[in-house]
Amino acid sequence: MNKHLKTMSLTALFAALILVSTAYAKIPIGFGYVHVGDIFVMTGAFFLPPVYAVLSAAIGSMLADLIAGYVIYMPVTFLVKGLMAFICSLSFYKKCKLVRLVAGTVAASVVMLAGYFVFEGFYYGWAGAIGNIPLSLIQPAVSVPCAVLLTLALSRIPYLAELKEEIAPRKKAHAVDPDSEENARKDAGGDADASD
């Protein structure tokens, strides 16, 4: 299987995981609903190249709104979830460190809360949007620690690490040995003296 096909397959897999975990593992609240789909939005941002992570998050989440009957949320979900995946990709796609994972998932969750708050403020009224905040906080309170732990665990599985490297290999900087560099200078100096 070539690299492009593997990338597309993994993108489709994460989009499906996001769709199912959003549409079917949910709790309706005042406006909209809380769900566990963000766990896979965030985890997908580690395994997929940024563009594909954004697509899987945006499309999977938007289709979940359609299936769950929250059609009015579809456009804002497409934008907000895509932005969440992009923020996570910037934070920890290249380096899976605990600090980066926590910072990226928290920042993405803040953006998500802000995006839906603005939408609900204009659509339902600001008093209702403010009243919906406490219930909306349930989602990141569950998603952030779960996504961090899941990403750390999956990143240590050799097959998945190799798959990620195959999809988007990192450029390895060649380490310069100081001794060899100095020897090269001496050799160059010796050649110059010999030419004199």
Side-chain angles (χ1 to χ4, degrees):
M1 192 184 298
N2 64 35
K3 183 175 84 170
H4 182 68
L5 189 55
K6 285 185 178 181
T7 305
M8 295 303 295
S9 299
L10 197 58
T11 304
L13 173 63
F14 271 104
L17 285 170
I18 292 163
L19 188 156
V20 170
S21 59
T22 300
Y24 298 107
K26 68 179 187 297
I27 302 171
I29 57 172
F31 305 130
Y33 56 100
V34 296
H35 55 82
V36 296
D38 287 353
I39 296 170
F40 298 105
V41 169
M42 296 166 178
T43 303
F46 172 71
F47 285 100
L48 291 166
V51 172
Y52 294 94
V54 168
L55 287 174
S56 71
I59 294 170
S61 298
M62 181 184 69
L63 291 177
D65 278 348
L66 177 64
I67 291 170
Y70 292 86
V71 177
I72 192 67
Y73 278 86
M74 288 174 65
V76 69
T77 291
F78 185 87
L79 294 172
V80 168
K81 299 301 179 178
L83 188 55
M84 282 181 71
F86 180 69
I87 290 168
C88 288
S89 290
L90 288 180
S91 301
F92 54 78
Y93 174 64
K94 292 186 178 178
K95 289 186 180 179
C96 185
K97 301 291 184 184
L98 180 60
V99 174
R100 285 173 171 264
L101 281 166
V102 172
T105 53
V106 169
S109 296
V110 169
V111 167
M112 181 267 297
L113 290 169
Y116 283 115
F117 173 75
V118 170
F119 169 76
E120 289 166 356
F122 280 108
Y123 192 76
Y124 297 110
W126 296 105
I130 292 168
N132 205 44
I133 289 174
L135 291 173
S136 298
L137 290 171
I138 296 170
Q139 190 165 306
V142 173
S143 298
V144 167
C146 289
V148 168
L149 293 174
L150 181 63
T151 304
L152 284 172
L154 294 178
S155 69
R156 283 159 175 71
I157 297 174
Y159 173 77
L160 295 178
E162 289 170 12
L163 179 62
K164 179 181 176 179
E165 184 65 24
E166 185 179 344
I167 288 173
R170 288 172 290 185
K171 294 179 182 177
K172 295 179 181 176
H174 296 289
V176 179
D177 184 1
D179 293 334
S180 64
E181 194 175 2
E182 191 169 335
N183 289 337
R185 281 201 210 101
K186 285 180 182 175
D187 290 343
D191 292 342
D193 292 339
S195 64
D196 289 340

